[in-house]
Structures are given as structure tokens and as C-alpha cells.
Amino acid sequence: MKQFYEVYKDDQIVSPLVTQLSWTNNLIIISSTKTKEEREFYVKLAIKERYSKRELERQIQSSYYERAILSKTPLLPEVIKKIPQNPFLDSYIIEFLDLPEKFDENSFRKSLINQMKRFVLELGKDFTFVGEEYKVQVGNSDYSIDLLFTHRELRCLVAIELKIGKFKPEYISKMDFYLEALDRQIKKEYENPSVGLILCASKDNEIVEYSLSRTLSPLMVSEYQLKLPSKEILQKKLQELIKLSGL
């Protein structure tokens, strides 16, 4: 492990963690990262998520580091801001779905269910799948939540609504309704309020900000992509964010 300590010797945080990773995963991180911050990120992430070689390679190829940094926005609900690392991303990469050129939300959901192991890798291993088209009854009517998960660190239910088009403001009220139903009927006494994630093909951040400004529910809006992103474009966005924040 001497060569790893040489790479990490100037980083007092990462160096003691190196021995917790396999020789192979250390080599992957060293050969695939350019900065100390990126190396530190993947070392800690690989340890926390217990990545295999293939899983670590996939996360690096999907620019997980850049996407995670870009996901630190002021729009995060307070319950999520209280934990050390935001478990939600602004952009999810689901390149593993075998979907036709045109598809509907039902096909989208079914494909995610069929590839649940890979979807959970993208979401994070603290997510545990509960069910699809999860039924809640309000009054005399039945409603279905596309996907329902629990999250270990947040200790809450996570409702995910899938949209194949661009984000629309009216999606917020529907998710508010689902979260209220979950909290009244399904949530355990020891659990925190339920969290909602609206996953859309695209979004206008200004429209999202306006839509979320008056809601009290802990919910987020994220995009999904069906192919691996351009690392160069994400790095450019990251540099712009760094300049704006004065870091």
C-alpha cells in the first residue's frame, strides 16, 4: 500500500481510510481522478457504500462526484440540510434502462423495477425499496404513488413520482397530497416526515424555485438522463459554481 500513501500523504483525512478499500478500488480511484477533493470524495463514498469494482467504475463513469457537488442547492428541505451529506442528486443517470425511443410512464416505471439493483446503486444503498404503484386511500378514492422507498439515515419514507416530460408546477400539489397521506396513514411514530422526489426528463430551475417557494413539504425536483453525461460539461458547470460561491 506504500504507493497509495504517497498519493494521499498530503491528505490527513483520506490517508487513514485507504486501507479500508481493496487494492483494485484504490487503483481505480487514483487512475480516474484529477484532484485531491475528487479522490477524497470517492474514497469515502466507496467505503460508505461498499462498492464492488464494477460499481465504483460505473459511479466514476457517470460523473457522480460532479453531480453530487452540483446538487448542493439552497432548495433542499431543512430535514436534508441537517445530515452531513445530501442523499439526493439534482440529476440521475439511468443509462441501464432498455427503453424504446418513445415510452410512457408505465413502461418507465416497469423498467426501473426490472433494474432495481442498478437503480438503487444510482440512488444510494441507504434506500430500501418498498413498492411500486403504492396504494393510499383518501376518502372514497384510491391513489397510487409510482415508487415508494425508505431511507435509513433520514429514517423516513421517500415517495418518487416519475414524469417522462418537462417539470410542471402542478406536480407539486400532487406530491404534497401524497406526502400528507403517507404521514397520516403509513409513517411510523419513530419516523421523520416523508420526503418526495419528482423525477422529470427536464426542468427549468427558475420554475422549480417558484413552485417550491410556498410549499412546506420536504420535496425535491430532479432530472434523469438515459445516457452517460458529458464529464466536460459537468466539470464546466462545477467550475462556474465554484466561481459564483467564491470558493
Side-chain angles (χ1 to χ4, degrees):
M1 301 293 285
K2 183 178 178 181
Q3 68 182 95
F4 300 135
Y5 281 109
E6 286 299 312
V7 174
Y8 296 129
K9 66 181 179 180
D10 294 328
D11 194 325
Q12 296 179 355
I13 297 176
V14 175
S15 295
L17 300 177
V18 173
T19 55
Q20 297 182 43
L21 289 179
S22 68
W23 177 278
T24 301
N25 279 0
N26 271 297
L27 282 175
I28 291 171
I29 292 173
I30 290 171
S31 62
S32 304
T33 58
K34 295 182 178 179
T35 66
K36 180 179 71 174
E37 291 77 16
E38 188 178 4
R39 284 194 295 272
E40 179 180 337
F41 175 87
Y42 281 119
V43 167
K44 291 181 177 179
L45 184 67
I47 293 171
K48 177 180 181 292
E49 299 287 340
R50 299 178 181 273
Y51 285 149
S52 66
K53 170 182 178 291
R54 182 174 296 180
E55 290 172 339
L56 177 59
E57 287 177 330
R58 188 269 173 189
Q59 299 303 68
I60 293 175
Q61 289 170 3
S62 71
S63 303
Y64 197 94
Y65 167 70
E66 287 83 0
R67 291 187 290 128
I69 300 302
L70 290 168
S71 298
K72 295 178 179 178
T73 71
L75 295 178
L76 288 176
E78 289 302 318
V79 64
I80 296 172
K81 289 180 181 179
K82 292 177 181 178
I83 63 176
Q85 186 173 338
N86 172 23
F88 295 92
L89 298 177
D90 190 60
S91 175
Y92 288 94
I93 310 301
I94 43 181
E95 82 289 355
F96 45 82
L97 298 185
D98 186 19
L99 287 166
E101 185 174 344
K102 292 185 178 181
F103 57 91
D104 57 21
E105 288 175 2
N106 183 59
S107 299
F108 186 22
R109 187 184 68 254
K110 291 297 183 185
S111 294
L112 285 174
I113 296 299
N114 290 336
Q115 296 287 345
M116 183 54 65
K117 183 177 180 180
R118 300 176 76 176
F119 186 41
V120 168
L121 172 64
E122 174 66 1
L123 288 175
K125 294 184 180 180
D126 271 351
F127 284 86
T128 301
F129 181 56
V130 176
E132 64 168 318
E133 293 194 289
Y134 192 89
K135 299 291 189 296
V136 290
Q137 184 179 39
V138 179
N140 295 320
S141 299
D142 290 326
Y143 300 89
S144 298
I145 299 169
D146 284 340
L147 301 172
L148 186 65
F149 291 81
T150 60
H151 191 274
R152 291 177 61 195
E153 186 172 13
L154 288 172
R155 290 187 298 163
C156 72
L157 295 165
V158 179
I160 299 181
E161 278 292 287
L162 306 172
K163 303 297 179 184
I164 61 173
K166 191 172 183 178
F167 169 78
K168 297 178 181 179
E170 51 262 39
Y171 296 159
I172 298 296
S173 59
K174 186 177 181 182
M175 180 60 83
D176 278 334
F177 178 81
Y178 287 158
L179 296 179
E180 185 68 17
L182 287 173
D183 284 350
R184 291 195 189 193
Q185 301 176 17
I186 310 299
K187 182 177 80 70
K188 305 293 185 183
E189 289 186 6
Y190 58 84
E191 290 180 324
N192 292 314
S194 304
V195 171
L197 173 64
I198 302 172
L199 196 55
C200 303
S202 62
K203 62 174 180 171
D204 182 313
N205 287 329
E206 188 171 6
I207 294 175
V208 171
E209 193 275 328
Y210 270 58
S211 302
L212 292 175
S213 62
R214 297 202 176 206
T215 182
L216 298 177
S217 299
L219 62 91
M220 292 144 293
V221 178
S222 298
E223 295 178 326
Y224 65 83
Q225 297 180 46
L226 298 177
K227 60 181 181 180
L228 292 175
S230 166
K231 196 173 185 70
E232 290 73 22
I233 291 176
L234 287 175
Q235 287 176 340
K236 183 178 180 181
K237 288 182 179 180
L238 185 55
Q239 289 302 318
E240 291 173 352
L241 177 65
I242 292 172
K243 288 181 181 178
L244 287 174
S245 61
L247 299 177

